[in-house]
């Protein structure tokens, strides 16, 4: 997968912002689509995909149960 996507769950990430989630979603959609920036006729589909991946990522992180102790 894309090397610039960081792990966003504890204990690897202390605080995850909406910007962190959106950046990961954007990188994922770029990788899957093969476009760094889509042409105008694909911009809406690209944007919707980023929104959907960001929402799914946020939901995943909200529902994960991490059982290892967090780093201090």
């Amino acid at each position: 997968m894309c090397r610039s996507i960081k792990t966003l769950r504890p204990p690897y990430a202390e605080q995850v912002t909406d910007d962190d989630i959106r950046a990961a979603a954007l990188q994922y959609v770029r990788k899957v689509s093969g476009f760094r920036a889509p042409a105008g006729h694909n911009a809406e589909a690209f944007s919707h995909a980023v929104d959907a991946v960001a929402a799914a990522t946020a939901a995943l992180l909200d529902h994960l149960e991490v059982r290892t102790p967090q780093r201090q």
Side-chain angles (χ1 to χ4, degrees):
M1 197 53 229
C2 191
R3 291 186 189 124
S4 61
I5 297 176
K6 301 182 300 181
T7 301
L8 298 180
R9 70 162 180 84
Y12 303 101
E14 295 293 322
Q15 295 209 356
V16 177
T17 66
D18 289 340
D19 288 340
D20 294 328
I21 292 171
R22 184 134 185 104
L26 178 60
Q27 287 299 320
Y28 176 80
V29 172
R30 284 176 173 168
K31 183 69 167 186
V32 170
S33 70
F35 297 119
R36 175 153 169 65
H41 62 279
N42 287 325
E44 187 175 348
F46 192 90
S47 179
H48 285 303
V50 172
D51 293 342
V53 171
T57 301
L60 171 66
L61 293 173
D62 286 345
H63 292 92
L64 283 178
E65 181 179 325
V66 179
R67 294 186 177 191
T68 58
Q70 293 200 14
R71 290 188 238 170
Q72 297 287 354

